[in-house]
Amino acid sequence: MNKKQNLQQTAPETTPPLLTTLARGASSALAVQILNAALNYGFQVFLAQTIGATEYGVYEYATTLATFLAFPASLGFPTTVLRFIPEYIIKQDWAHLKGIVRGSWLQTLIASLIISCISTGVLLWLEVYYKLENTIALIIGVWGVPFLAIAILQQQMARGLHRIILALAPYMVVYPILFMFITMLWSVGHSLTSYNVLFCSILSLLIVTVGQLILLRLSFPREINYVKSSYALGQWWKVALVVIFLDGSNVILNQADTLMIGGMLGVKAVGVYGAAFKTSLWVNLLLTSINSIAAPMFASLYVKGDMVGLQKLVSTSVKWMFFPALTVGLGMIIFAEPILRMFGEEFVSAKFVLIALILGQLVNVGAGSVGYLLQMTGHQNQCAVVVGISALVNIVLNLIGIRTLGILGAALATAFSMMLWNLWLHRLVVKHLGIRPSIVAALLTPCMNR
């Protein structure tokens, strides 16, 4: 059966429950993410005001480096388990379900420890031969990589089980609260620096990761306790190897600007840019929330061949997330200066940086869930090519932009790269799936059906 025939099918019995599940799950995810954003944003403002732009920049640079390394350390398994867990549950393939859970966790832990050791050696070598600054902070940061990599993996496992609160709450609610509590407790008897803030962050992450692992083990179907693990390593690695490249490219798109600013302009510029970047993320809050629920649904619908249900799900979700994002984005553009002033007077200079990043995020939201649609339906190879090329474009544009316009050049490069890969992936979704995921298509579809 071809795609056009699939699109002509009707699935009245499946679509409403899916939309209800999406609405309930997205509401829960949004509540968690709003709380997370408020906690993190408030704490970032507190840190910037307390330790100043330079020390805040050191902290931001170290955490960005750790995040950058955590994705290759995860070996592509987070997206792989998100794709295969729903499939194995539908097929009641408990042996392979147990195998992918156990195997991905152990391989991620080993790889992340190796990366932390190698990174520590490289940083010490750079300090001796190239007089690298802030080496201690960066080393502390890279030893957060194992916890970040495991956190990313466990979050996607919980998403694959449709346990959205378990996926999001530990790291988006419990972690920031614990981080703030430990940091403020430390500040009672000590002055805050980037070093002890990083240490408090890693300690909090360790506690939360262990707690989520215990709860996650109780959430899997009981049947996996009575079977022997089965490993489809060839099938998993076929997906994971592509995803490693894809995730690496995504990390470059999201982190290269900050790392390059640190290398070319210094840590103070990183702090100022980081404040604007974190503020711009409010625009895509709903996109992140809805994707956290919708991604495994994309995989399930595609496996069932329900393309009508998939189009309905995609069109509904993009409507739900675009208009709130547009409202938030316009509001932040209008009040850019007062918002940035909360971090400190020296952060107001990032006003136009914030505006450029907001415009890029609006295109990101308006294009729809294009990346997950391709990855969850077996088109990860095409997705990887697009994101990889966009990452290279991002690096080149950042080199040019930072040299000529400073942090504004980085923001323009990042916004353009974001627009490029979203529009390109949108074209591939239409070509390969026959699905139209953008807000424009969602608004025009009712008119075309009249």
Side-chain angles (χ1 to χ4, degrees), residues 151-366:
I152 295 166
L153 177 66
Q154 290 182 175
Q155 186 178 65
Q156 301 298 67
M157 286 181 179
R159 285 177 63 191
L161 294 170
H162 300 288
R163 295 291 303 275
I164 190 60
I165 297 300
L166 180 58
L168 300 182
Y171 298 103
M172 292 192 168
V173 179
V174 180
Y175 165 70
I177 291 174
L178 188 60
F179 182 20
M180 285 187 285
F181 174 75
I182 294 176
T183 304
M184 291 179 178
L185 189 64
W186 178 278
S187 68
V188 173
H190 308 81
S191 59
L192 280 181
T193 66
S194 56
Y195 304 127
N196 46 47
V197 171
L198 285 164
F199 177 79
C200 292
S201 173
I202 293 174
L203 178 60
S204 304
L205 195 57
L206 169 61
I207 295 170
V208 172
T209 301
V210 172
Q212 190 194 37
L213 176 61
I214 294 170
L215 294 175
L216 192 60
R217 288 173 63 88
L218 299 173
S219 301
F220 280 97
R222 293 181 180 179
E223 287 83 355
I224 70 171
N225 297 322
Y226 309 109
V227 297
K228 185 178 179 180
S229 299
S230 183
Y231 299 93
L233 295 177
Q235 184 182 21
W236 299 339
W237 274 104
K238 183 179 179 181
V239 174
L241 287 173
V242 176
V243 173
I244 291 172
F245 176 77
L246 182 59
D247 284 348
S249 300
N250 268 318
V251 170
I252 291 173
L253 285 169
N254 291 319
Q255 311 291 344
D257 47 3
T258 301
L259 293 174
M260 293 174 73
I261 288 170
M264 298 170 70
L265 302 179
V267 291
K268 183 175 181 180
V270 170
V272 175
Y273 182 84
F277 186 82
K278 283 182 169 61
T279 302
S280 73
L281 294 179
W282 283 93
V283 175
N284 77 345
L285 196 62
L286 258 175
L287 173 65
T288 307
S289 301
I290 288 177
N291 277 345
S292 65
I293 300 297
M297 291 183 178
F298 296 158
S300 298
L301 286 169
Y302 188 75
V303 168
K304 294 175 182 177
D306 185 1
M307 303 303 286
V308 171
L310 183 56
Q311 178 67 71
K312 178 74 173 177
L313 182 66
V314 168
S315 298
T316 303
S317 63
V318 75
K319 291 177 185 177
W320 287 355
M321 59 195 179
F322 180 75
F323 293 108
L326 180 62
T327 303
V328 170
L330 291 176
M332 289 199 303
I333 289 173
I334 295 170
F335 298 104
E337 289 190 16
I339 291 171
L340 291 170
R341 190 170 282 114
M342 293 190 301
F343 289 85
E345 196 63 39
E346 52 197 336
F347 292 87
V348 177
S349 61
K351 172 184 176 181
F352 291 106
V353 172
L354 175 59
I355 292 172
L357 292 170
I358 287 171
L359 294 176
Q361 291 290 358
L362 285 174
V363 174
N364 185 26
V365 177

Side-chain angles (χ1 to χ4, degrees), residues 64-80:
T64 300
L65 177 61
T67 304
F68 185 88
L69 295 173
F71 279 90
S74 68
L75 301 176
F77 277 117
T79 302
T80 305

Side-chain angles (χ1 to χ4, degrees), residues 379-398:
H379 296 86
Q380 64 275 352
N381 291 7
Q382 295 90 329
C383 186
V385 170
V386 172
V387 179
I389 293 173
S390 300
L392 291 176
V393 170
N394 181 261
I395 292 173
V396 173
L397 292 180
N398 267 289

